[in-house]
Amino acid sequence: RHERLDLGHAIAGSTPLKFKVFTKSCAGKDQITGGDMFKVLATKIDAETSMQGFNNPAITSDVVDMDDGSYEFSINSTVTGTFDLFIYQLVQGGLKGHYFTDEF
């Protein structure tokens, strides 16, 4: 799912940006246990370097599993600017799904 959110502001190099993610099951119900793995990348949005085709370095996040279906993230950038944030849920085997058999 893709959403654009304003997560607030932080001071580059000193004050990390912190936020919390609450997970849901495939059925859309709130998760009540932890154990999921995530990878977070923040890439700087910069029209000048993007137009020139340069890749901006990605910044990763620390993740804390709260063991209740929620996860706390902390990103500390050493440069100022606006960033795109990508959160990936990592699943062994590459795909998480619940399968069932049709009874027709």
Side-chain angles (χ1 to χ4, degrees), residues 19-21 36-41 60-66 70-75 86-88 90:
F19 60 96
K20 197 169 190 177
V21 170
D36 293 321
M37 294 179 59
F38 292 91
K39 179 174 184 160
V40 176
L41 293 175
T60 59
S61 170
D62 294 325
V63 182
V64 177
D65 184 346
M66 304 307 291
S70 68
Y71 299 83
E72 290 185 353
F73 296 85
S74 176
I75 297 174
F86 301 92
I87 303 173
Y88 301 97
L90 305 178

Side-chain angles (χ1 to χ4, degrees), residues 6-82:
D6 181 359
L7 295 175
H9 299 85
I11 299 172
S14 63
T15 305
L17 173 66
K18 295 184 178 189
F19 60 96
K20 197 169 190 177
V21 170
F22 298 88
T23 58
K24 293 191 176 285
S25 70
C26 293
K29 297 187 181 209
D30 292 340
Q31 293 280 54
I32 57 173
T33 60
D36 293 321
M37 294 179 59
F38 292 91
K39 179 174 184 160
V40 176
L41 293 175
T43 56
K44 186 174 179 186
I45 300 170
D46 186 342
E48 182 178 320
T49 57
S50 295
M51 290 175 20
Q52 295 173 2
F54 296 116
N55 290 327
N56 291 315
I59 301 163
T60 59
S61 170
D62 294 325
V63 182
V64 177
D65 184 346
M66 304 307 291
D67 292 325
D68 63 357
S70 68
Y71 299 83
E72 290 185 353
F73 296 85
S74 176
I75 297 174
N76 197 358
S77 174
T78 57
V79 294
T80 61
T82 302

